[in-house]
Amino acid sequence: MGGRINFSLVTLKKLKEKYDNIHLISFNLDDYMAKTPLEYWYHCNGWRDGPFHVSHLSDGLLFLTLHKYGGYYFDLGVISVRPVTDLRNFVAAESDDYLGSGVLHADFKNPVMELAVKDFAANYRSDVWGHNCPALLRFQFLKNWCKAQDLLEMNYVSCHEFNVLHYSSFCPVYYSVATKEFFIHRLANQSLPAWLTDQVVGVNTWNKLTYNKPIYKNSTHRYTLLARNLCPSIFAIAPEIF
């Protein structure tokens, strides 16, 4: 069962007052999985016994939701820089040779998402955190779809109207230097970083690796600078440490 949403939360009320396109729903997972390629996996695979079961359930729901309804998906660690509505049917590369699934869009009934759901169920592994979602779109899956051997060969034509965006679009900072880049103190009145170019649509701050880093609203961390400038309404209602 999906948990109940507490609509009385002050933060949620403020967000809904500011953004009229926020809609929160709860649903029954049994019903959501029924008659989908994930129904057998959900009831019979034993994924609940794995060490990453919560994360893997989220991964499966990501692909299933995009397959069912289409739409945009962004990891919680992605800070939006500019609108993305002119970008459709894409996955963002994380480096020159790695495709994650932290940033995705698919139109309703896009065949790539249907194949992703089926591949998730068929090749699921409970013992490896990154096998099922981040790595699922990495090589073999899209190699087969695009008939390509590497990322350089994957484009809108070869991938049948599905785009592979360059890593500079959403991952201008490599994951291995994320902590140093986003969470060290800097001089006051710092300017925006040089990597924040016109090609950047969003900034992945790699939440999996940095979620335990406290953010102080009055700090000179680069994360704080980005949040203050790019997400002013949310930053205003955030607590002093978030």
Side-chain angles (χ1 to χ4, degrees):
M1 292 289 290
R4 292 183 178 275
I5 300 171
N6 183 359
F7 288 100
S8 66
L9 292 174
V10 174
T11 300
L12 181 56
K13 284 184 174 181
K14 289 182 177 179
L15 287 176
K16 288 181 70 64
E17 290 172 0
K18 180 67 178 181
Y19 303 103
D20 59 7
N21 60 347
I22 293 179
H23 305 285
L24 301 178
I25 63 171
S26 59
F27 55 84
N28 183 295
L29 279 175
D30 290 353
D31 295 338
Y32 201 73
M33 297 289 187
K35 299 180 180 179
T36 75
L38 289 189
E39 183 175 26
Y40 181 86
W41 171 85
Y42 177 70
H43 290 290
C44 306
N45 184 275
W47 59 272
R48 292 176 178 84
D49 299 327
F52 312 108
H53 60 282
V54 174
S55 176
H56 288 173
L57 174 61
S58 176
D59 294 341
L61 287 172
L62 159 58
F63 287 137
L64 183 60
T65 301
L66 290 183
H67 167 55
K68 276 189 166 190
Y69 305 109
Y72 292 90
Y73 169 81
F74 301 92
D75 275 351
L76 286 175
V78 175
I79 298 177
S80 180
V81 174
R82 55 179 55 88
V84 297
T85 49
D86 59 330
L87 297 173
R88 308 189 69 81
N89 296 310
F90 67 85
V91 58
E94 294 182 356
S95 67
D96 280 329
D97 57 2
Y98 191 94
L99 285 176
S101 51
V103 178
L104 284 168
H105 175 268
D107 285 326
F108 176 61
K109 293 297 184 181
N110 185 288
V112 171
M113 288 302 109
E114 180 180 5
L115 291 173
V117 173
K118 292 178 178 178
D119 197 78
F120 179 94
N123 297 300
Y124 177 75
R125 286 186 59 177
S126 64
D127 60 323
V128 180
W129 171 78
H131 174 78
N132 308 290
C133 197
L136 186 64
L137 293 174
R138 178 168 54 171
F139 283 123
Q140 198 57 49
F141 176 72
L142 273 186
K143 272 185 179 180
N144 293 340
W145 176 256
C146 303
K147 293 181 173 58
Q149 294 302 310
D150 55 47
L151 287 181
L152 295 178
E153 297 179 12
M154 295 180 182
N155 54 53
Y156 188 74
V157 176
S158 66
C159 295
H160 311 287
E161 301 182 357
F162 192 79
N163 288 296
V164 177
L165 303 182
H166 189 266
Y167 65 83
S168 61
S169 58
F170 284 94
C171 302
V173 176
Y174 198 54
Y175 75 91
S176 61
V177 297
T179 297
K180 180 179 179 181
E181 178 63 26
F182 295 121
F183 298 101
I184 64 170
H185 290 289
R186 300 175 184 274
L187 296 175
N189 300 319
Q190 60 179 304
S191 59
L192 291 173
W195 48 257
L196 196 62
T197 66
D198 292 341
Q199 284 72 47
V200 177
V201 182
V203 179
N204 190 341
T205 61
W206 309 103
N207 187 59
K208 171 66 177 178
L209 303 176
T210 61
Y211 72 92
N212 61 345
K213 300 293 183 183
I215 303 162
Y216 301 87
K217 292 183 76 171
N218 63 350
S219 76
T220 57
H221 292 171
R222 187 148 280 166
Y223 189 105
T224 304
L225 174 68
L226 293 172
R228 182 187 297 115
N229 288 332
L230 299 173
C231 310
S233 297
I234 295 176
F235 187 81
I237 62 176
E240 291 303 310
I241 303 175
F242 65 98

